[in-house]
Amino acid sequence: TNRTVAFNQQINAIAPFDNVDSCFLYVLILLSKPLIQQASTASMKGMVSKGNFEQVLVLKAEAHEQVAFGRAFKKILALIDRNEKAMSA
């Protein structure tokens, strides 16, 4: 989020370190959804315990690669936004 938040239930939160690009982390989580789901319980809610969540292995990119990815991702988002506005005009 872009602000301080609080949770009233057991929720696993991901907070990036200062040297982690938030756009890179966002896409990494989206692409890692199947791995995260595999770590969940077999219950109807499919909860992931903190211990299981910490065991999910994901790609680790160098900081400069993350920054480059983040820049490209933001450019693509801006293009998508511009195209959507143009199509609705």
Side-chain angles (χ1 to χ4, degrees):
T1 68
N2 59 357
R3 64 193 181 286
T4 301
V5 297
F7 302 105
N8 66 349
Q9 297 175 354
Q10 179 192 352
I11 296 178
N12 292 316
I14 299 173
F17 293 109
D18 289 337
N19 62 344
V20 175
D21 183 90
S22 59
C23 289
F24 175 82
L25 181 60
Y26 171 72
V27 174
L28 180 63
I29 292 167
L30 287 179
L31 295 175
S32 299
K33 183 177 178 180
L35 295 173
I36 296 168
Q37 287 175 323
Q38 286 177 358
S40 72
T41 63
S43 71
M44 296 251 317
K45 293 182 181 181
M47 295 183 61
V48 180
S49 70
K50 182 180 178 189
N52 285 351
F53 192 61
E54 290 174 340
Q55 297 302 313
V56 175
L57 298 177
V58 295
L59 174 76
K60 180 181 177 187
E62 297 294 329
H64 70 278
E65 294 170 326
Q66 293 182 36
V67 170
F69 179 91
R71 284 187 190 129
F73 184 73
K74 288 175 187 174
K75 286 180 183 179
I76 292 168
L77 290 180
L79 287 171
I80 291 170
D81 186 50
R82 197 172 352 165
N83 286 341
E84 287 176 349
K85 288 178 181 176
M87 291 179 70
S88 65

